[in-house]
Structure formats: structure tokens, C-alpha cells
Amino acid sequence: MKISFKLKLIFSYIFVILISFGFIAYFLDKNLEENSLHNLQASLINQAYLVENQITAENIKRENIAHLESLIATLSGKIKCRITVINNLGKVLADSEKLQKEIPEMENHLYRPEVKMALVNKVGIDTRYSSTLKIDMLYVALPIKENKELIGVIRLALPLESVEKTLNEIRKAVLFGLIFALAFAFVLGSIIAAQTIRPINRMIQVSRRFSKGDFSRRIMQVSKDEIGELAATLNKMAQDIEDKIKEAKTQNQKLAAIFNSMIEGVIVIDKAGYIISVNPTIEKIFSIARKDVEGKVFLEAIRNNDIAEVISAALKSGKSVSSEIALIYPVRRIFEVNATPIFDASTPLGINPEQSRRIDNNVISGCLVVVHDITEIRRLETVRSDFVANVSHELKTPLTSIKGFVETLLEGALDDKENNRNFLKIIHDHAERLDSLVNDLLSLSHLESKEIMLKKTNFNLRQQVEDVISGFRSQLKKKDIEIKNELSAGISVTADKDRFEQVITNLIDNAIKFNNEKGFVRIFNEEINGKVKIIIEDSGIGIPEKDTPRIFERFYRVDKARSRELGGTGLGLSIVKHIVELHSGSVGVESTEGFGSKFWFILPR
Ligand code: ADP
């Protein structure tokens, strides 16, 4: 049964009052009873002495009943008590309450306790129920002596009614007092309980809100007592929890922001292998929606056995597991998958950190899978190794030739007047080739280094093309190729002039090299979405369709032997692409084999 605080307080008040009143009533009653009996006895004894004085021995001895009768009748009327005269043999001689004729019928009083005492010369006292008068009576008996001889007993009796009455009065007063005190205690208890309970109720209300997670309210502190202190402690606790929650929220937001913006794909898995969450990168890689996969078993959501194996290995071993995985569907890519087990961080109470670490190590609560796209890294690695192989190959050819001809010369051909100059000319050509190869490689690596500083100026492109063309005069003449500079007169661009000279030189050089005799080269411009498109068109051999996508790659040539023969390094277009892209532009080619090509580049204005 639930007893409210108010009732408990009132009950305790009532309990205290009842106990104290009980004690008071008990001792008061007892004391008063004893005291009043004592006083009554004393006054009765005194009166008995006075009465005794009035009775002469003569009357007793002679049993002068009439005289005794009238004497005690007068005296009893005055002192308002019953007087009995008894002789030393216990016979009643006179009694104020009895008529003379009734006396002889009265029994012998010798064995009444007070009479017995008086007969041995003592003051006899007794309280008992009087069969004669049918009430509680106080009896006092004194010996009547004549010259030390005991001749009778005088007995005074008083009904105890008055003592009882007084006591009853007092008892009534105590009872009234008790009732009043109880009523007062009830009222006072209620008021005090209400006052005490009010702040407690307020605390209960506010702490209920706390328990529901609403920490915006505070308990008003009215008193400075223990309850006030409790309120202050609760307020402090609420403030602390609110701060902690805020901190946790910001922390969570930060983590969520990191989680959502990570380039790496992240999957959080619980210890049973169910997906807790995935980030947007994972959604993109596997073409799934977060809401569809959360709460599902990994393999059911993402059908990739390799990743599932990595996860289960990490969960089983409790160690990080990583593996390289090639994905074919939905995208063809290479990923490095890293699964790291997550350990339960909660430390059971009463466990020292050493122990808890051990326990932590045993409790795996899930694992974190990070999917890192390494397709580009792998591609670059292949490109790099291909490049090294290409460079070595390109360098090896002229070097082998140079070495061969030098050896031939040393072995005696030096004295062969007809051929020695010819041999030296070949060596020179190969050295020249090596030089241009190294130059192109240097400029490529410089363009790729990203430290390159462009010295941008605004210049007239038509004029620059004109200058470049004049450098190709002899080649054009040799092949009887007509070149037309159809760029708009006012065409100007903001770019690095020296590097653009290289771009135009390379493109015009190719357009002449891969042209037919009596062919043409045309350079013109178009305006596309506010950008300048420069087109170098030729009537040359063209490029097969299958080769066009790779034509800008380093060392890529349609016909290696022909390119080498024409003094090409296979790096020219690659350099063009790099320079244009450094200027935020783009390059491209349209070509039909046997009909010519249109190389173009677009520059932002
Ligand atoms: P190269 O030093 O061989 O000229 P490039 O990088 O300039 O190297 O060109 C790569 C290849 O592209 C050439 O070998 C050639 O096969 C092809 N090519 C470039 N320009 C033209 C063109 N105008 N017509 C036909 N083929 C071309």
C-alpha cells in the first residue's frame, strides 16, 4: 500500500501526541489519585482525632447508646462523613447511617481491616466496597483509650465518590485536550506537509520531464534547506546532462558530416553481420539507397562475396582485414576494402581499466568497412610502367644505332673515305633524335610537375600563327603544300605565348608531316558558347577511327616506323594536350582515314 508523505507526516504527529498524552494521562491519573486519596486520608484522620476527643470513655464503657447516637449524628452532619463507634470487642455501638434499632443487626466489626489495626493501637486505613452503602468507601479507624487501656474504636468513613469525580473531571479535561491536540496536529500536519510537499511535487514534475529528455525546465529554489539543496543538485544535474547531450549532438553531427562527405565508401556492420549504415559514396558505388539496405544482412543488400568474406574475417579474428577487390557490376572498378572490428567501449562498473581493456578486447560490437577506390592509382601505375618501358624502348633504338656505327668506325671504317662521313651523318641524326626525345620528355615532365608557372599575356593569335608558318617555309615548299591562315584578324587570346607557340608548331608540323604532296593545311577559328575554337585542318593521310581515342597518349603513334622516319617522338600531341589543359581548355580530333584530319583546341575567353 502506498501511503503519501502527507499521511505519514500526520500519522507521526498523531503518534507523538498520543504517546505523550498517554504518558501524561497515566502519570497524572496515578499521582492525582494517590495524592487526593492521601489528602483525604489525612483529613479524615484529623477529623477522626477530633471526633475521638468528643467521645468520652464513660459512654463507651457503659454503652450509653443514646448519647453516642446523638453525638455522632451531630458530628457526622457537620463533617459530612459516616461515623461508627465500636467497642473493643468489635460490637457496633452507634453508626451515623443506621437507626438505633438497626444497630443490633449489624455484624461484628472485629475483623474489618481498619478496626483490626486500630485495636492494635495503630491508625487503621482501608478502602473498599461497602456492602452497607453499596459504594467505594475510605475507612479510617482510631483507637479510643482511657489511661492507656483500649476501650473502643472510632471509625470514620467517606465515600470515594468525590475523588473519582475529581479524577473523572481531570480525565475529561485531558481527553478534550487530547482531541484538541489531535485536531490541531492534523491541521498543522496538513499545512506543513503541504508546504513541504509543494516543492517536492514540483521536483517530481520537473524530474519527470527530465526523464522524458526535456531538460529545458529548472526547479525553482525557494528554501535554503535540504529540499532546496536537492533542487539545486537536480538543476545542476539537468544542466550537466543538457550540456553533455548538446556536446554529444555536435559530436554526432560532426561525425555524420564526415561520414556523409567521405570520398571513401563506409559501411557500418553490427556483430551479427547486419548493415547499420552506409554513406553516400557506397550508395553511388553499388547503386543502392541507404534506407533499403539498413537493417539487412550484408550479402542480401550488397551482393559481393569478396567484401562479405573480408567482413566475416574481421568479425571472427577481431583484427583489421584488408583486400583488393575488382568490381565488375554495377561499375568496373578496383577497390581496396578495409574491415576494422569495433570493440565495445563501455566499461562495466567496478572494473579497473586494465581489466576493462581485456574485456573490451573480447567484445566485438561490429565492424567498420572502408571501401577505397584505387582504380585511378592502379591505372596510373600501369601508365607509369608503360611509360618507362616506352621511354627505354625509344632511347634504345637510336643508342643501339649510334653504338653500332661508332663500333664500325672504330673497327676500320674510319679510314673508308667513301663511307665515313655518311656513318657520322647517321650518328648525328640519331643523336639529334635522342636530343629531341629528351627535350620532349623534359618539357612533358615539366608540364606535369604542376609547379609550372604560366606567364599569361594577351596576344594576337593570327599573328602568332603567321610567325610559326614562316618557320615551315622550306618544308611546305618541299611537299608543295598550300597553307591558309584563315583566323579572324582581331583574334586575341590570354595565354602563355611561348607555350602556345609550341602547341601551334606541333599541330602544324603534324599537319605537314602526315600530309600528301600538293595537299593543303587550313587554320581557322569558330566561336562556341563564348569560347574560341581553333581548328587545324589538313588533307593528309588521316587517322583510323580505332586510334583516335588514344592519339593524345604519350608515345602513341598510328604508324611507328613512319613517325620515326619523319623524326617524330610520339610526344607532340601529348604536350599539346597538357598545355591546352593547363589553360583550362580542351583538345580533340576529327578524322577520316585517307581524307585528312581536323585537330582542334578550345580556349576560354
Ligand atoms: P609524332 O612525333 O609521331 O608526330 P605526335 O604525338 O605529334 O607524335 O602524333 C602522334 C601520332 O598521331 C602520329 O604518329 C600520327 O600517327 C598521328 N597524327 C598526328 N597528327 C596527324 C595528322 N595531322 N594526320 C594524321 N595523323 C596524325
Side-chain angles (χ1 to χ4, degrees), residues 510 513-514 538 543 551 556-558 563 568-570 572-573 597:
N510 281 346
K513 264 194 319 199
F514 301 102
D538 67 64
I543 301 162
I551 209 74
Y556 193 86
R557 282 165 287 191
V558 178
S563 158
T569 58
L573 286 182
S597 319

Side-chain angles (χ1 to χ4, degrees), residues 440 506-507 509-515 538 540-543 551 553 555-560 563-564 567-574 591 596-597 599:
D440 277 0
N506 284 356
L507 291 174
D509 182 33
N510 281 346
I512 300 170
K513 264 194 319 199
F514 301 102
N515 217 327
D538 67 64
I541 58 170
I543 301 162
I551 209 74
E553 279 177 24
F555 295 117
Y556 193 86
R557 282 165 287 191
V558 178
D559 181 346
K560 270 200 180 142
S563 158
R564 241 181 250 136
T569 58
L571 295 172
L573 286 182
S574 191
S591 178
S597 319
F599 277 85

Side-chain angles (χ1 to χ4, degrees), residues 171-204:
R171 279 179 195 142
K172 249 191 240 164
V174 169
L175 191 69
F176 276 124
L178 176 66
I179 291 168
F180 179 75
L182 286 180
F184 188 67
F186 188 81
V187 175
L188 197 71
S190 303
I191 293 171
I192 290 178
Q195 266 179 357
T196 320
I197 283 168
R198 206 175 304 138
I200 293 178
N201 274 342
R202 256 204 309 266
M203 267 188 257
I204 292 172

Side-chain angles (χ1 to χ4, degrees), residues 252-285:
N252 260 356
Q253 279 166 353
K254 272 189 215 161
L255 284 178
I258 294 172
F259 186 68
N260 289 328
S261 61
M262 265 174 83
I263 298 166
E264 285 85 9
V266 182
I267 311 169
V268 190
I269 303 274
D270 75 3
K271 57 171 177 266
Y274 286 85
I275 294 177
I276 297 173
S277 192
V278 298
N279 75 343
T281 312
I282 289 287
E283 293 184 295
K284 240 183 273 162
I285 295 174

Side-chain angles (χ1 to χ4, degrees), residues 378-390 554:
R378 289 286 175 270
R379 193 189 68 80
L380 286 176
E381 275 169 12
T382 321
V383 167
R384 192 163 302 137
S385 65
D386 284 357
F387 180 69
V388 172
N390 281 332
R554 287 177 292 196

